[in-house]
Amino acid sequence: MKELRIIATGGTIDRVHDTRTEALSFRSNSESHLSQMLKIGRCYFPVVEVLMLKDSLDFDDADREAIFQTASNSAENALIITHGTGTMDVTAQFLDGQIPDKTVVLTGAMRPFSLSASDGDFNLGSAVIAAQLLESGVWGVMNGRVFPAGALRKNTALGRFDD
């Protein structure tokens, strides 16, 4: 099996409900939910790295460059990048072709892990398997489907990723 690193960048998967503002935000201690999600699934081997916790709608080229640098410099050849669904396709296309010797899988959630009925744990588990089995390249794994970077599209009307 491939060694696996999960790089957290934020997005809905890591959001929590802020009772003071009645909005979704990130934990005040800048911790990700990923370790807890993996523990629930009894998945103990991935390395988890928090690069940033940010809404992907606020990403710019500097953020994508930081993701690229982190992925490129990773010792592992299988990588998962948790990412907001709003611009996941933009980052996938930005990375596509730039990291030829690694399998890079982007995933996230339409509903936060911290709230009930989240799709985050399902998507993360799917990404863990996909990152170990897919060939080198950049992929998106959402809603039980695998998409090459160029075919990753969010269907906002249906609330899922389709081809």
Side-chain angles (χ1 to χ4, degrees):
M1 285 301 180
K2 295 178 184 178
E3 295 296 316
L4 177 64
R5 177 175 295 267
I6 303 173
I7 302 166
T9 68
T12 298
I13 197 167
D14 260 320
R15 296 282 195 156
V16 294
H17 178 251
D18 183 331
T19 55
R20 185 180 56 79
T21 63
E22 291 299 324
L24 292 176
S25 60
F26 296 105
R27 288 177 166 174
S28 59
N29 61 2
S30 298
E31 287 186 12
S32 170
H33 292 288
L34 297 174
S35 294
Q36 179 185 4
M37 295 168 75
L38 292 166
K39 184 177 179 181
I40 289 168
R42 301 181 190 276
C43 182
Y44 296 99
F45 68 93
V47 173
V48 176
E49 176 180 356
V50 179
L51 176 62
M52 64 184 86
L53 293 177
K54 191 171 183 179
D55 187 318
S56 73
L57 295 174
D58 297 328
F59 277 15
D60 57 23
D61 287 342
D63 295 315
R64 289 185 179 83
E65 183 64 28
I67 294 168
F68 165 70
Q69 291 298 328
T70 301
S72 295
N73 294 330
S74 171
E76 296 81 5
N77 289 329
L79 304 171
I80 296 170
I81 299 170
T82 59
H83 195 289
T85 61
T87 64
M88 186 184 293
D89 59 335
V90 176
T91 299
Q93 291 167 24
F94 178 88
L95 297 174
D96 196 25
Q98 291 199 72
I99 313 173
D101 57 335
K102 298 182 189 246
T103 302
V104 179
V105 175
L106 284 81
T107 196
M110 303 292 269
R111 185 169 169 87
F113 170 74
S114 64
L115 301 177
S116 64
S118 174
D119 56 332
D121 47 0
F122 179 79
N123 292 334
L124 181 62
S126 298
V128 166
I129 298 300
Q132 295 177 80
L133 297 176
L134 290 170
E135 61 190 43
S136 295
V138 178
W139 307 87
V141 172
M142 290 291 294
N143 312 120
R145 304 200 59 197
V146 176
F147 303 94
L152 185 62
R153 302 274 184 276
K154 181 177 177 179
N155 183 328
T156 54
L158 297 177
R160 65 182 190 218
F161 281 73
D162 287 320
D163 52 355

